[in-house]
């Protein structure tokens, strides 16, 4: 079920090639890289992204990958702006 949901999300975002090229897969490894790449939280935008990433991490610890991916996608959209 989780794989199907991930595939549907990726397919929906692949309709826009520019947007899809910036999106990372919803995996623990990709989330870790995103957190590392964020660096210091020195602006309100980065603070909002950090909050979404913290929420994603919390959902992952509850084994709720759907919720984690939702927060991770929000953080990625914020970084694209």
């Amino acid at each position: 079920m989780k794989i199907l949901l991930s595939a549907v999300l990726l397919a929906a975002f692949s309709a826009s090639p520019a947007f899809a090229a910036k999106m990372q897969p919803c995996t623990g490894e990709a989330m870790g890289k995103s957190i590392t790449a964020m660096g210091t939280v020195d602006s309100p935008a980065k603070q909002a992204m950090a909050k979404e990433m913290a929420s994603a991490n919390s959902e992952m610890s509850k084994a709720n990958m759907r919720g984690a991916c939702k927060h991770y996608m929000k953080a990625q959209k914020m970084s694209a702006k």
Side-chain angles (χ1 to χ4, degrees), residues 10 12-24 76:
L10 289 175
F13 290 122
S14 68
S16 172
F19 185 71
K22 294 179 182 180
M23 299 298 286
Q24 297 291 321
Q76 284 190 357

Side-chain angles (χ1 to χ4, degrees), residues 55-76:
S55 296
N57 189 29
S58 176
E59 292 299 325
M60 279 180 59
S61 68
K62 298 176 194 172
N64 180 7
M65 282 306 290
R66 182 178 182 187
C69 286
K70 177 181 158 187
H71 289 290
Y72 183 57
M73 292 298 166
K74 281 184 183 179
Q76 284 190 357

